[in-house]
Amino acid sequence: MDRVLIEGLAVETVIGVYAWERSIRQRLSLDLELATDIRPAAAGDDLGHTLDYAAISARIGEFAAHSHFQLVETFAEHLAALLREEFAIAWLRLTVRKPGAVAEASTVGVRIERGEAP
């Protein structure tokens, strides 16, 4: 199985457990690996036969803009479920990073895999 990659996708959302975090938007950085078979798209040079990373990126931005979660874990779970359902993705690996959340670290975050690994 092949993988479509989206790396370093920046989105802004309401995320955090502290009261001050609930009143601002913060930047998250996302990396995705999406399993698909790219051979049909490559054979016909046809976007309709692969995962459209521009459409997926736009949908992620829309999701983030309307989300209000406390935990990065919850954001990741809901986003993974949405992507798998709306884009018929059998398997994905999603990394969500929250830069600046811990002063001593460049970033913190979670990495999840959902679906059947190819």
Side-chain angles (χ1 to χ4, degrees):
M1 189 62 58
D2 307 308
R3 310 275 172 95
V4 170
L5 303 176
I6 302 171
E7 296 180 338
L9 181 65
V11 297
E12 296 213 352
T13 191
V14 175
I15 190 92
V17 297
Y18 301 110
W20 65 268
E21 291 181 296
R22 309 301 303 149
S23 64
I24 64 168
R25 302 187 75 69
Q26 296 185 70
R27 182 169 289 236
L28 299 177
S29 177
L30 285 62
D31 293 336
L32 295 97
E33 289 184 44
L34 313 167
T36 191
D37 183 355
I38 68 165
R39 290 175 292 189
D45 203 21
D46 185 351
L47 178 62
H49 290 102
T50 191
L51 296 173
D52 182 344
Y53 49 79
I56 293 169
S57 296
R59 183 63 179 102
I60 293 169
E62 179 184 316
F63 171 82
H66 295 97
S67 296
H68 294 86
F69 297 113
Q70 292 187 39
L71 301 178
V72 172
E73 292 85 345
T74 310
F75 180 94
E77 283 291 339
H78 284 260
L79 178 57
L82 176 135
L83 293 175
R84 291 191 65 225
E85 180 179 325
E86 290 188 13
F87 293 94
I89 298 168
W91 174 90
L92 65 77
R93 176 180 291 139
L94 169 62
T95 303
V96 179
R97 293 179 179 90
K98 187 177 176 186
V102 174
E104 297 79 18
S106 61
T107 193
V108 297
V110 299
R111 178 174 295 131
I112 65 172
E113 292 185 27
R114 297 295 178 263
E116 293 297 317

